[in-house]
Amino acid sequence: MPHALVTGVSSGIGAEIASQLLALGWRVTGFSRGQPGQEHPALTHVPVDISERGALAEALLDLAPLDALIHAAGILRVGTLGALDPENGKAMWRLHVDAAEQMIEATVAAMPEGARIVLIGSRTAAGSAGRAQYAATKAALVGMARSFAIELAPRRITVNVIAPGATDTPMLQDPSRASVTPKMPPMGRLVQPKEVASLAAFLLSDGAASITGQQIVVCGGASL
């Protein structure tokens, strides 16, 4: 039974990814602060705040070797020029970029040939008014993923970024983003977490073995 680590497993995209992988026969270790809303014999939940470097290091210590790592945990803090809070930028960088680096650094040596790494980015990486700090962290994920993909290609370990547009998750209802409302995609509805999760599951499949170093946008036509 292949083993995947999924972060942000308690809600939103992370929860849906875990659910789909469990249905496909994966064993899932889930990292999140909150308790997952699902129970499954193949799901092991580790309560941890991965934005805390020491706590994450401890959670990774006894982790069995991974066939896949999916980093879906995220936060959104908004702010326009003249009202930017540097602490928000630091928090998003730590959770989105630095935690991803820490997890990959700690686990990749034990990964088998052909393992998969998927990072959940954002279409906002291309730039969005009021979301500069968030966009910067998600853009950084792309550069990091492509760099790691080059290094890991000889081991046939793929590294990709899924970049959703406005997605129907609890993050969308976060009061801290009230000043910057999401734009409805041309398709007339928000992206669904299951759609992002289905792409993640595909990137873990045999059919995606040659896809690496890519940012794949899922946005309901918002990028058109």
Side-chain angles (χ1 to χ4, degrees), residues 151-168:
E151 293 185 42
L152 295 172
R155 294 174 57 192
R156 298 189 177 92
I157 295 175
T158 67
V159 188
N160 292 291
V161 175
I162 298 175
T167 305
D168 190 8

Side-chain angles (χ1 to χ4, degrees), residues 73-188:
I75 56 172
L76 173 62
R77 299 290 180 265
V78 299
T80 54
L81 279 171
L84 293 175
D85 184 344
E87 293 305 313
N88 286 341
K90 290 178 183 178
M92 288 186 284
W93 182 270
R94 168 58 200 160
L95 181 59
H96 299 157
V97 184
D98 193 45
E101 176 190 301
Q102 183 180 353
M103 289 186 290
I104 295 169
E105 180 78 0
T107 61
V108 74
M111 287 183 182
E113 181 173 297
R116 309 297 167 86
I117 297 170
V118 177
L119 308 175
I120 302 300
S122 173
R123 191 183 81 85
T124 303
S128 179
R131 300 180 179 91
Q133 294 167 312
Y134 179 79
T137 66
K138 294 300 190 176
L141 277 182
V142 178
M144 187 170 72
R146 288 179 62 82
S147 301
F148 288 162
I150 296 167
E151 293 185 42
L152 295 172
R155 294 174 57 192
R156 298 189 177 92
I157 295 175
T158 67
V159 188
N160 292 291
V161 175
I162 298 175
T167 305
D168 190 8
T169 68
M171 183 188 290
L172 210 64
Q173 312 303 324
D174 190 334
S176 68
R177 65 169 295 161
S179 62
V180 183
T181 57
K183 295 179 181 178
M184 189 63 66
M187 284 188 176

Side-chain angles (χ1 to χ4, degrees), residues 1-107:
M1 182 182 292
H3 179 210
L5 169 62
V6 181
T7 68
V9 75
S10 62
S11 67
I13 291 171
E16 187 62 38
I17 290 173
S19 179
Q20 290 199 24
L21 293 185
L22 290 166
L24 290 169
W26 284 73
R27 178 164 61 97
V28 175
T29 297
F31 283 3
S32 64
R33 292 180 300 175
Q35 189 71 22
Q38 59 185 319
E39 293 184 2
H40 192 284
L43 172 63
T44 300
H45 177 242
V46 178
V48 58
D49 182 352
I50 67 171
S51 67
E52 297 290 337
R53 175 171 281 275
L56 178 55
E58 185 175 346
L60 292 166
L61 275 177
D62 298 321
L63 192 65
L66 299 173
D67 299 284
L69 189 163
I70 304 96
H71 181 33
I75 56 172
L76 173 62
R77 299 290 180 265
V78 299
T80 54
L81 279 171
L84 293 175
D85 184 344
E87 293 305 313
N88 286 341
K90 290 178 183 178
M92 288 186 284
W93 182 270
R94 168 58 200 160
L95 181 59
H96 299 157
V97 184
D98 193 45
E101 176 190 301
Q102 183 180 353
M103 289 186 290
I104 295 169
E105 180 78 0
T107 61

